[in-house]
Amino acid sequence: AGGKQRLDQSGASGEGSAVHAGGGGAGSSGVVEGQDGAGAGCGADGSSRGLQADTITMLASRCDASGTVSQWVLHLPRIPHDYTGTGDLTSALLLAWLRRLPEVEQMALVLEKVGATLQAVLTRTLQMDRSEICLVQSREQILEPTVTIRAQRLSC
């Protein structure tokens, strides 16, 4: 399934959101929808889009109640290893942060917090030389991620 690199909004009426992540390798994608119609998804197949193998690109789109779409992009360094559970973690983080920061103008921060958490958890997992992500050992970073890379707003 080449090229899961796209900006998207949920098909629900009212406010909605979606996030897609693409990297240099193969992976899966999915969409998780909340009760309010907000959605979040991720994928890691960007081979047909010419993405760099050393970068993970996360794209986010939010549609407010008036139908105005806002979009952001976040580029993260790719951790050079394949891990089990990253898609599930990404979906869970997106849902949790969208619940805590539900306003459209907070979407950049949601994306940054998800990216920071993923980077912290995967870095810890790499340091511990494990293939299954180290969630318990990364509890503090999951609860309060340190954002060092900022999302950029895209012009629509």
Side-chain angles (χ1 to χ4, degrees):
K4 291 291 179 194
Q5 190 72 347
R6 66 178 189 208
L7 292 170
D8 198 11
Q9 70 187 55
S10 77
S13 60
E15 291 188 12
S17 66
V19 175
H20 294 272
S28 62
S29 67
V31 174
V32 178
E33 289 198 25
Q35 292 177 339
D36 64 353
C42 65
D45 181 14
S47 56
S48 67
R49 300 286 181 168
L51 297 175
Q52 298 176 17
D54 61 348
T55 302
I56 297 294
T57 300
M58 297 180 75
L59 301 163
S61 178
R62 287 294 302 260
C63 180
D64 66 18
S66 70
T68 302
V69 177
S70 300
Q71 301 171 329
W72 298 267
V73 63
L74 180 68
H75 300 286
L76 299 168
R78 187 177 197 285
I79 308 280
H81 198 281
D82 291 325
Y83 296 103
T84 302
T86 56
D88 293 335
L89 177 59
T90 302
S91 295
L93 290 169
L94 284 166
L95 289 174
W97 284 108
L98 283 169
R99 185 175 173 96
R100 283 182 72 180
L101 302 169
E103 302 301 321
V104 170
E105 47 285 338
Q106 296 173 311
M107 190 64 204
L109 183 57
V110 168
L111 196 58
E112 293 163 356
K113 295 239 182 220
V114 171
T117 305
L118 287 167
Q119 290 290 296
V121 170
L122 295 181
T123 298
R124 164 110 7 145
T125 303
L126 182 65
Q127 291 168 346
M128 296 183 75
D129 195 29
R130 301 222 178 130
S131 61
E132 183 86 22
I133 55 176
C134 297
L135 294 176
V136 173
Q137 299 86 343
S138 303
R139 183 181 184 276
E140 288 181 34
Q141 292 85 2
I142 292 169
L143 294 174
E144 293 297 329
T146 302
V147 174
T148 58
I149 301 172
R150 296 291 176 191
Q152 299 171 336
R153 189 178 200 125
L154 300 175
S155 58
C156 300

